[in-house]
């Protein structure tokens, strides 16, 4: 570790009040957080401090112009109490890719990695060991500089918070293929993990929920004829024995879980295709029985199987398979993440 990190510990941990056998996702927070400020044109020394509210001036530009980006990660513990991360440098690179698009100063890799590892060491007791649980990690950056003028801020804050969490989704997921609203457009910020991307999703998702669905399948902004993402995740579609996902673009997030699935699937003899897939092809495949699986892929849920979808007032149920790709791939990935299997890719990083 090359970064000088000041550590202020809590006077008394709240960990004894947490039921680790019944963890919700992302709403129980660990004792500490890491913060680092960008002022006077440079990043200052990071510090670890008690998890607490952040004080901002009402004129802080985050409130007015939305310069806010984030990442999602997880930490795990194995049977020997080793702490592990999964492809953390990919998260750092993607955060900085998002930062560049929103004119936020990029966070130095050493601050990101050294700060993250130091925080996990301080709050190591908060990493769950129950099956299916993990420590969810939320790094984020936002404009803390003040002013009502529509321009990039002159000050920013980088924060890492953590939350011991159980499963993200439970039960069957039913989705609605979106025909009107778009998640992102060419030339926009769909590839970035910008907070505003997700805020704009809430309204059409709520409309879908009111119709009895859990999530929205996003289609392209121009014709609404091509499948792009599943809610806040990348999407995979299995037709016969081929696993298909849309290519990344200005509109589609370069998901770390997505990349991992493509690599692992190919190495385990599952045919994959990265190509545009039309709504018409999916509907026709559902009608003729060649549509076998659909699932979302992302850090929070890893893989979330889709039980059925709706389109133009019609509902289609997916078959219940004995050995779905979703279950196989999720186990292969989580076994690497939790040190239950060899990691031939060098994805697992020990703290």
């Amino acid at each position: 570790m090359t970064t000088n990190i000041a550590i202020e510990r809590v006077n008394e941990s709240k960990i004894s009040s947490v039921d680790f056998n019944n963890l919700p996702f992302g709403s129980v927070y660990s004792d500490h957080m890491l913060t680092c400020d960008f002022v006077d044109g440079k990043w200052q020394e990071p510090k670890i401090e008690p998890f607490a509210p952040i004080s901002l001036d009402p004129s802080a530009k985050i409130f007015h112009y939305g310069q806010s980006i984030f990442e999602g990660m997880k930490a795990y513990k194995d049977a020997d109490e080793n702490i592990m991360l999964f492809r953390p440098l990919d998260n750092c690179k993607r955060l900085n890719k998002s930062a560049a698009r929103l004119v936020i100063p990029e966070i130095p890799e050493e601050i990101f990695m050294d700060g993250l590892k130091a925080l996990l060491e301080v709050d190591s007791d908060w990493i769950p060991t129950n099956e299916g649980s993990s420590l969810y990690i939320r790094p984020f950056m936002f404009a803390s500089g003040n002013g009502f003028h529509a321009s990039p801020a002159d000050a920013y804050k980088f924060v890492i918070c953590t939350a011991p969490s159980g499963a993200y989704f439970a039960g069957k997921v039913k989705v609605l293929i979106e025909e009107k609203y778009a998640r992102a457009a060419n030339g926009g910020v769909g590839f970035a993990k910008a907070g505003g991307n997700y805020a704009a999703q809430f309204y059409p998702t709520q409309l879908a929920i009111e119709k009895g669905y859990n999530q929205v399948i996003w289609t392209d902004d121009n014709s609404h004829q091509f499948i792009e993402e599943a809610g806040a995740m990348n999407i995979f579609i299995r037709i016969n024995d081929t696993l298909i996902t849309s290519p990344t673009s200005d509109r589609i997030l370069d998901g770390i879980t997505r990349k991992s699935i493509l690599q692992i699937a190919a190495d385990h003899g599952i045919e994959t295709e990265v190509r545009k897939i039309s709504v018409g092809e999916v509907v026709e495949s559902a009608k003729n029985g060649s549509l076998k699986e659909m699932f979302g892929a992302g850090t929070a849920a890893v893989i979330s199987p889709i039980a059925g979808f709706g389109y133009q007032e019609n509902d289609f149920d997916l078959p219940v398979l004995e050995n779905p790709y979703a279950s196989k791939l999720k186990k292969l990935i989580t076994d690497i993440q939790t040190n239950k299997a060899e990691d031939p890719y060098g994805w697992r990083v020990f703290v």
Side-chain angles (χ1 to χ4, degrees):
M1 185 176 295
T2 59
T3 308
N4 184 26
I5 302 173
I7 300 175
E8 177 191 352
R9 295 179 181 267
V10 294
N11 292 325
E12 183 177 352
S13 175
K14 57 182 182 288
I15 195 169
S16 61
S17 66
V18 176
D19 181 1
F20 279 80
N21 293 313
N22 294 285
L23 287 170
F25 186 88
S27 57
V28 175
Y29 309 109
S30 311
D31 282 330
H32 300 88
M33 62 184 184
L34 178 126
T35 64
C36 187
D37 291 303
F38 182 90
V39 294
D40 298 327
K42 62 181 180 179
W43 288 102
Q44 308 300 304
E45 290 187 352
K47 56 185 176 181
I48 291 172
E49 55 192 308
F51 182 90
I54 296 170
S55 178
L56 292 170
D57 193 277
S59 67
K61 290 200 173 186
I62 176 57
F63 300 134
H64 308 280
Y65 303 112
Q67 280 182 287
S68 175
I69 57 175
F70 70 95
E71 275 295 320
M73 309 171 65
K74 286 180 178 178
Y76 308 85
K77 264 186 184 176
D78 65 14
D80 297 321
E81 297 289 300
N82 295 306
I83 301 172
M84 298 154 294
L85 294 160
F86 184 70
R87 306 186 71 167
L89 287 176
D90 287 308
N91 290 101
C92 182
K93 290 173 183 175
R94 191 171 63 183
L95 185 70
N96 281 333
K97 185 178 179 181
S98 299
R101 180 62 179 84
L102 271 71
V103 198
I104 296 173
E106 296 182 17
I107 190 76
E109 184 179 294
E110 61 270 20
I111 291 179
F112 184 98
M113 290 301 299
D114 290 352
L116 175 56
K117 289 181 178 181
L119 180 63
L120 293 177
E121 289 173 354
V122 169
D123 276 343
S124 62
D125 290 344
W126 285 87
I127 304 174
T129 55
N130 295 352
E131 189 71 26
S133 296
S134 60
L135 186 72
Y136 185 75
I137 303 167
R138 174 52 60 86
F140 60 102
M141 293 197 283
F142 63 90
S144 56
N146 303 330
F148 293 147
H149 186 266
S151 62
D154 61 359
Y156 298 85
K157 184 177 284 287
F158 171 64
V159 184
I160 305 179
C161 298
T162 64
S165 298
Y168 188 70
F169 285 121
K172 295 181 178 180
V173 176
K174 187 179 176 185
V175 298
L176 178 66
I177 295 179
E178 182 58 52
E179 299 178 66
K180 177 181 178 181
Y181 297 99
R183 176 188 171 274
N186 286 331
V189 295
F191 69 89
K193 286 189 74 71
N197 289 347
Y198 297 81
Q201 291 187 28
F202 295 156
Y203 178 67
T205 301
Q206 185 58 42
L207 294 179
I209 290 171
E210 291 170 2
K211 293 179 180 179
Y213 300 92
N214 304 101
Q215 265 295 355
V216 165
I217 295 289
W218 299 107
T219 51
D220 69 288
D221 64 302
N222 184 34
S223 69
H224 293 290
Q225 290 303 305
F226 293 93
I227 301 291
E228 298 215 322
E229 291 201 356
M233 297 185 288
N234 296 120
I235 187 169
F236 283 83
I237 296 167
R238 175 184 172 186
I239 296 178
N240 291 318
D241 291 331
T242 301
L243 198 58
I244 307 164
T245 193
S246 302
T248 56
S249 67
D250 285 350
R251 305 183 307 277
I252 297 176
L253 186 73
D254 185 13
I256 293 166
T257 305
R258 173 188 176 277
K259 290 190 288 191
S260 303
I261 288 172
L262 287 170
Q263 181 70 65
I264 290 174
D267 291 347
H268 284 80
I270 296 173
E271 184 177 349
T272 62
E273 292 181 1
V274 178
R275 64 170 174 85
K276 294 173 71 173
I277 181 167
S278 70
V279 175
E281 182 180 358
V282 172
V283 171
E284 181 58 31
S285 298
K287 289 179 178 178
N288 66 30
S290 60
L291 179 63
K292 304 301 184 184
E293 294 180 72
M294 297 170 64
F295 56 84
T299 296
V302 184
I303 288 176
S304 179
I306 294 169
F309 70 91
Y311 180 65
Q312 293 186 343
E313 305 301 324
N314 294 306
D315 283 330
F316 300 88
D317 293 325
L318 274 77
V320 178
L321 304 179
E322 187 173 341
N323 296 300
Y325 286 173
S327 298
K328 177 180 181 177
L329 291 167
K330 184 172 184 177
K331 185 178 189 307
L332 288 168
I333 290 175
T334 55
D335 281 356
I336 291 174
Q337 291 172 332
T338 56
N339 202 21
K340 294 177 181 176
E342 293 298 317
D343 175 18
Y345 311 106
W347 291 341
R348 192 165 53 220
V349 175
F350 289 91
V351 174

